[in-house]
Amino acid sequence: MTRDIFQPSGQIQFGIFFQGVNSGTIWKAPESGSQTDFESFRRLVQTAERGKFAAFFLGEGLRLREHLGRPHALDVVGRPDAQTMLAALAAVTTNIGLVATQNATYNDPADLAHRLSSLDLISGGRAAWNIVTTDNAWTGANFRRGGYLDHADRYRHAEAFVETAKRIWDSWETPSGPARRVLHEGQHYTVDVTPLLPRSAQYRPVLFQAGDSPEGRDFAARQADVIFSAHPKFDNAVEFRRDIVARSVAAGRGANAVQIMPASEFILAATDQEAQDKKDWVRSLQIGPQQAIAYLEQFWGRELSSYDPDGPLPEIDPVVEETSETRGSGFHGAKARQLADQWRAEAKDKGLSIRQFVTSKTARVDATFTGSYTAVADHLAEYARVGAVDGFNISPWLVPTGLDDIVNHLVPELQERGVYPTEYRGTTLRENLGLETPVRSEEPARVR
Amino acid sequence: MSSSEEKKAGFLAIELDGAGYENLATAVLAAESAGFHAATFTDGRVPGRANALQRAAFAGPVTRNIAVVPEVDTVYTEPFHISTQLASLDYVSGGRAGWIVTAAESPEAAAAVGRSSVEGAALAHEAAASIEVGRRLWDSWEDDAVIRDVATGRYIDVDKLHYVDFETPSDFPGPGYSVKGPSIIPRPLQGQLPVLAAASLVGEGLVPADAVDAVLVSAPTPELLAGEVRDVRARLGASVAIVVELDVVLDARGEAAASRSGSAEETGRARFIGSAAALTDLLDSLLQESDGVRLHPAVLDVELDELSRAVLPELRRRGSLRAPIQDGTFRDLLGLGPAENRFATTATGAGK
C-alpha cells in the first residue's frame, strides 16, 4: 500500500550537466577554459565530487549544428565522446556517477548495452545512460543507417531498445555469469546476442530520461530511474512530481521509483544584489549581439546582419521555403511567418530589443536560481521539505570553474540546513541516489 | 653483439587484456614503470572482456608516457562513432592514443547487431572504409579552427571546418554508406592517430598500405618471425612500421615455463616458452629486424613481473630498447612526423 504513496526524502542532490555545445556556456570570459582538454573535465568532475554531487553528465554530439547551411560559428562547437571521456574520468574519481547521453536511434542496442556495461564495471558501478532519441535524416547523414525513423516511432523504438538493453544487463544467471542468450526481433532492428559481461556492483546502469510529452513521461515512468525534467520552478516542479508519481504507480512501479532532477542554472553571490548584477553580466556574454541576430536568422531563414541588435525585431518577413537545421531538429518554414508576427507583437508589447528578446527566449529563464547563497539555500530547502524534486542537474555557465561557487558556498549552506548529503552513501550511483534495486527483467517466453 | 652504430633501438608493447577492468590502473602503471612504450587492449567477443577503447581511456589519465592503443572493430561498428571515440581517447591520454584496426570475422558479432556476416575480402573493404572515414573526420577540423574571437563573436572559423562527404566505393561489397561530417570533436592532439593493423589485412586488394602507419606481423613460431618480417617489409615497402607479435610464457616463481604453458589457447601467434635470458636474446634480435615487438603475456602479473625485472633492463643495457620519450606522443614513438591535414587551407601547422 505505502508503495503507492510518495514519501519525500527531505534531501536534494546535485548533478552537473556538461552540455558542451550551446549558447549557455560562456567562452568569451578570460577565465573560460578549453571545452575539449581533459584538464577542464578533470577540474569540473573533481570539484563536483568534492561537493558530493551525485552525477556528472555529458551531452552527445552526432552532427555539428549548422546556421544558414554552414557549421554554427558563434557558440561553443565540438565535444568529446561521452563514454570515452567518462571512462577516463572514472580513473580520477571514486564516488560520483558518470552519465552518458546516448542516442537510441544511431546506436545498436547490443553494442550500446555492452559499452555501458563496460563503463559500469570500469567505474565500479557508477555508470548511467541518459536516453535520448533523434529522428531526422540530417543527423542520419553521418551514420551507416542514415535517417530511417518516423517521428511517431521514436518512443516505440526507444522503448524496445531500452527493454532489450535491460534484458542484456539482466542476462546473468549468477552475478558473475554465465549469461543467457537475448533475442529481439523488431521493426527497426534485430538482436541475437549472448552478453559477455557480468552484473555490476549496482546491477545495471542507472537510466535517465528527459522526455516531456505525455508519451515521453509515460516512457520514463515505465523505464527510467531518474527524469531529467524541464520543470525546476517550485509550483511546476510540484505539479510535475504529482504527474510522474501517478504515471509510475499506473505503470506498476512504486510512487518513489522514479526520481526527478530538473535542469537548472545557478547564478550566486554573497548578496542578492551582487547576484543580480552577475546575472546581467552572464546574460550579456551568453547572448552577444551576433548570437541575437543569428538566433533570429535561423527562424527568418535569411541573413539579418544589417539589423541593429539593440533595435526592434526585423520588419522584413521570413523566407518560408527555407528550413533551418541549426538546432539539428529542423524548424519548418511554413510556421515561420506566423511565428515572426507573434514575436514582433510580443517584443513590441514588452518594449524589448532584439537582444533582450532573444535573451528572454534562450536563457534558462525558468531554470535559473539567482540570489545570495543563503537565500537560494532557503529556497532549495523548501523543495527538499515537500519533495518537489530529488535534485537539480546544474549546467555550469563557465568551464572549468563554474561549480566553484556552488561547492564552496551553496553546498555548505544546504548541509547546515540538513537537506544535502555530507558524505556519499556508497560507492555506486544507485546507492548514492537512494534508488531501489532494479527488478530483474523477465525473458519473454518466445526466447529459445 | 653488432657494433653500436649499427644497433637499432626498438620499442616494446604489452597486451593488457589479462588485467581485466578491475586491476587496470595497477597493470598499466606497472607496464609504464617497467619501461614498456605502449599498452594495447584486445577487443572481441570473450566473456568478461570490457570494451577495449574504454579500458584504454581509463588508462590514459593514470599514466604519462605509455601509449594506449585499443583494438576497435571496423565491420559492425559505426565509423562516425569510432572516429569520435578515438579522437576523444587522444584527448584523455594527452596525445598517446593509437588504433589497432580489426575486422570482426565472428558471426556472433554480426547477429548481435542484426547484420549478415561479412567474410573474406569484404572484411578488408570494411576496414579500409572505416579507416578512411576516421582519417577524414580527424582532418575535418583544421588545427586552428577554434579561434574564440571575442570581437566578431565567432568561436570557430567555419572556413577551417570541412565536410568529409565520404561514400563507400562502387565496388564495395555489402551495404554501402556515406558519412557527411565534419567531426563532432576538434582534430585530435596528434592530428592523426597512428593506425595499426594485422599485416594479413594490408596490401594490394586489401587495406592499402598507405592507409596504415604500422602492421602487426605474426608467424607460427618464434624462429620464423624474422623471416616473416623481411617478407612483409618486401611486400609493403619501408614506409610502414613493423611490430612483431609474440606470445610469452616465462620461467617464473620457481616454475618452468614449459610446465606453465600446458593449456595455452591457440592464438595463431608465435609463442616463446623459456627463460628471461633466452627471451632477452630473442627480443634483441627481433628488435633489429622490426620497429617494435608486442608481447602477449600468458599470465599478465607473472610475466609482467619477470619482464620488468629481468628482460627490459637487460635490453636497455644492450642498447636495443628505446628510452621512453617523456610526454611524447604515439606518433613520436613510431617516428612519424607531424600529420599533414588533407583539408588545410593555410600552410601553417601543416608540413613535415
Side-chain angles (χ1 to χ4, degrees):
Chain A
M1 246 346 255
T2 52
R3 275 179 56 80
D4 290 351
I5 296 165
F6 174 71
Q7 309 279 343
S9 69
Q11 294 275 304
I12 53 164
Q13 308 218 48
F14 286 149
I16 157 178
F17 188 31
F18 188 113
Q19 299 185 69
V21 171
N22 52 42
S23 61
T25 308
I26 293 169
W27 58 263
K28 291 173 194 166
E31 60 266 51
S32 307
S34 166
Q35 293 287 129
T36 37
D37 284 357
F38 183 69
E39 281 312 309
S40 291
F41 292 85
R42 185 210 293 266
R43 172 77 160 73
L44 266 172
V45 78
Q46 290 183 338
T47 305
E49 194 161 76
R50 181 163 62 83
K52 314 295 176 208
F53 276 43
F56 181 91
F57 283 65
L58 285 178
E60 183 190 33
L62 300 176
R63 183 157 175 185
L64 287 191
R65 289 187 302 159
E66 289 179 357
H67 181 64
L68 303 179
R70 307 189 73 192
H72 185 65
L74 301 177
D75 300 335
V76 171
V77 187
R79 54 182 155 195
D81 173 68
Q83 290 204 59
T84 308
M85 179 55 75
L86 293 174
L89 293 178
V92 297
T93 54
T94 50
N95 293 89
I96 194 165
L98 304 165
V99 194
T101 302
Q102 299 276 273
N103 197 288
T105 310
Y106 297 108
N107 277 294
D108 287 302
D111 176 56
L112 185 66
H114 177 70
R115 285 189 289 123
L116 285 165
S117 275
S118 297
L119 182 63
D120 208 13
L121 290 165
I122 286 170
S123 65
R126 295 189 280 140
W129 174 22
N130 179 32
I131 307 158
V132 295
T133 64
T134 310
D135 60 355
N136 65 68
W138 180 79
T139 305
N142 280 334
F143 297 94
R144 285 180 190 256
R145 288 177 182 283
Y148 71 106
L149 204 58
D150 286 343
H151 186 80
D153 280 347
R154 251 184 359 160
Y155 280 114
R156 241 174 301 159
H157 170 83
E159 192 146 5
F161 191 119
V162 171
E163 279 174 0
T164 304
K166 281 183 177 174
R167 285 168 51 208
I168 289 171
W169 292 327
D170 293 350
S171 66
W172 32 267
E173 295 295 345
T174 69
S176 57
R180 63 191 176 202
R181 189 172 167 195
V182 173
L183 295 173
H184 171 86
E185 274 180 47
Q187 189 187 345
H188 300 293
Y189 55 85
T190 302
V191 176
D192 175 355
V193 68
T194 303
L196 303 173
L197 293 173
R199 196 184 100 175
S200 81
Q202 62 170 357
Y203 283 68
R204 65 182 184 216
V206 170
L207 297 182
F208 286 72
Q209 210 269 330
D212 199 32
S213 65
E215 296 87 348
R217 291 182 187 200
D218 277 335
F219 171 44
R222 282 194 296 269
Q223 302 291 352
D225 297 301
V226 186
I227 297 184
F228 186 4
S229 91
H231 306 283
K233 274 200 147 170
F234 189 81
D235 293 346
N236 297 342
V238 170
E239 180 48 40
F240 186 75
R241 165 74 78 188
R242 192 172 298 141
D243 184 59
I244 293 302
V245 166
R247 289 176 199 265
S248 307
V249 172
R253 301 176 73 192
N256 280 68
V258 183
Q259 299 198 346
I260 299 172
M261 289 182 87
S264 61
E265 177 190 62
F266 286 80
I267 303 177
L268 308 172
T271 67
D272 285 338
Q273 185 55 50
E274 279 175 66
Q276 285 301 331
D277 294 346
K278 200 168 177 180
K279 183 159 138 184
D280 293 340
W281 175 79
V282 168
R283 294 291 184 246
S284 72
L285 288 177
Q286 285 173 324
I287 307 295
Q290 298 94 348
Q291 273 98 347
I293 296 292
Y295 181 79
L296 293 188
E297 282 175 343
Q298 61 173 317
F299 294 100
W300 258 253
R302 67 203 309 167
E303 224 207 295
L304 299 171
S305 57
S306 61
Y307 285 85
D308 176 5
D310 294 315
L313 265 61
E315 68 283 354
I316 186 174
D317 278 329
V319 179
V320 283
E321 312 78 52
E322 294 275 327
T323 293
S324 167
E325 298 281 13
T326 301
R327 303 286 156 185
S329 55
F331 171 79
H332 296 289
K335 290 185 229 147
R337 176 69 185 279
Q338 195 190 337
L339 189 80
D341 287 342
Q342 220 176 301
W343 281 4
R344 281 189 285 239
E346 188 184 332
K348 202 174 163 197
D349 251 22
K350 297 179 180 165
L352 300 178
S353 67
I354 289 178
R355 217 167 144 176
Q356 290 163 328
F357 179 79
V358 172
T359 300
S360 77
K361 289 286 167 206
T362 54
R364 299 188 185 86
V365 179
D366 288 345
T368 305
F369 292 88
T370 310
S372 68
Y373 305 118
T374 55
V376 171
D378 285 340
H379 187 43
L380 297 189
E382 192 59 14
Y383 283 77
R385 193 184 61 76
V386 304
V389 299
D390 295 284
F392 294 93
N393 243 319
I394 301 170
S395 290
W397 38 264
L398 208 54
V399 168
T401 56
L403 293 182
D404 293 7
D405 261 9
I406 295 166
V407 167
N408 294 340
H409 301 292
L410 181 63
V411 163
E413 292 280 349
L414 292 167
Q415 287 168 333
E416 269 175 41
R417 286 161 179 76
V419 297
Y420 188 91
T422 51
E423 284 304 328
Y424 284 103
R425 268 185 272 200
T427 57
T428 71
L429 177 57
R430 205 174 284 283
E431 281 173 274
N432 286 323
L433 287 171
L435 289 166
E436 297 168 4
T437 304
V439 178
R440 203 173 154 206
S441 60
E442 290 298 318
E443 278 302 285
R446 64 187 161 78
V447 172
R448 285 164 283 200
Chain B
M1 283 285 97
S2 52
S3 73
S4 61
E5 56 182 31
E6 287 292 310
K7 188 103 186 170
K8 257 180 63 187
F11 67 85
L12 283 180
I14 186 161
E15 169 52 46
L16 287 187
D17 193 45
Y21 44 81
E22 280 157 334
N23 301 310
L24 206 44
T26 312
V28 74
L29 274 169
E32 182 173 74
S33 54
F36 281 97
H37 302 82
T40 67
F41 301 86
T42 304
D43 216 340
R45 301 193 50 81
V46 169
R49 181 185 281 160
N51 178 269
L53 195 137
Q54 291 188 24
R55 285 184 285 137
F58 183 94
V62 226
T63 50
R64 178 148 175 196
N65 296 315
I66 197 166
V68 288
V69 192
E71 288 186 2
V72 182
D73 171 48
T74 50
V75 180
Y76 303 111
T77 43
E78 284 287 353
F80 189 85
H81 287 323
I82 296 177
S83 162
T84 313
Q85 289 162 8
L86 286 163
S88 304
L89 179 64
D90 206 37
Y91 279 94
V92 303
S93 64
R96 292 180 281 126
W99 176 14
I100 297 176
V101 166
T102 58
E105 268 183 274
S106 116
E108 291 80 22
V113 299
R115 281 177 53 191
S116 46
S117 223
V118 177
E119 287 163 358
L123 291 165
H125 284 87
E126 290 277 1
S130 276
I131 295 169
E132 180 64 15
V133 172
R135 288 199 181 279
R136 285 198 206 182
L137 285 169
W138 292 335
D139 277 348
S140 66
W141 292 55
E142 293 182 40
D143 287 326
D144 48 359
V146 175
I147 51 171
R148 292 174 172 249
D149 184 31
V150 175
T152 62
R154 290 180 308 148
Y155 181 82
I156 50 163
D157 177 352
V158 289
D159 291 334
K160 292 178 187 280
L161 259 56
H162 306 276
Y163 292 105
V164 304
D165 287 320
F166 172 85
E167 282 190 40
T168 45
S170 54
D171 61 348
F172 192 71
Y177 62 90
S178 61
V179 175
K180 181 74 186 169
S183 177
I184 201 72
I185 180 172
R187 197 167 189 242
L189 299 179
Q190 297 180 91
Q192 290 279 323
L193 276 66
V195 176
L196 292 71
S200 57
L201 202 59
V202 180
E204 209 176 325
L206 302 166
V207 175
D210 60 5
V212 300
D213 300 295
V215 291
L216 300 162
V217 173
S218 288
T221 69
E223 294 73 30
L224 293 172
L225 275 169
E228 184 63 23
V229 167
R230 285 189 287 271
D231 287 353
V232 169
R233 183 90 76 195
R235 183 165 69 82
L236 298 182
S239 65
V240 180
I242 286 186
V243 182
V244 172
E245 296 265 44
L246 187 64
D247 286 357
V248 173
V249 194
L250 291 175
D251 300 340
R253 303 182 187 178
E255 263 191 281
S259 65
R260 296 181 54 230
S261 68
S263 61
E265 51 155 343
E266 205 41 64
T267 64
R269 292 181 294 262
R271 177 174 297 123
F272 172 87
I273 303 169
S275 68
L279 177 65
T280 307
D281 289 341
L282 174 63
L283 291 177
D284 193 25
S285 68
L286 287 175
L287 289 168
Q288 301 313 305
E289 299 286 342
S290 65
D291 299 277
V293 179
R294 180 199 196 192
L295 300 178
H296 298 255
V299 178
L300 181 64
D301 283 355
V302 177
E303 264 72 27
L304 183 50
D305 197 33
E306 205 65 21
L307 287 161
S308 59
R309 206 177 43 75
V311 179
L312 274 72
E314 176 59 16
L315 287 170
R316 264 195 299 273
R317 200 192 58 76
R318 294 188 194 176
S320 53
L321 198 60
R322 195 97 56 88
I325 309 167
Q326 291 297 320
D327 297 318
T329 66
F330 190 31
R331 290 186 71 85
D332 292 338
L333 178 66
L334 289 171
L336 301 167
E340 271 187 61
N341 190 325
R342 73 198 64 199
F343 297 113
T345 50
T346 55
T348 52
K352 301 201 175 192

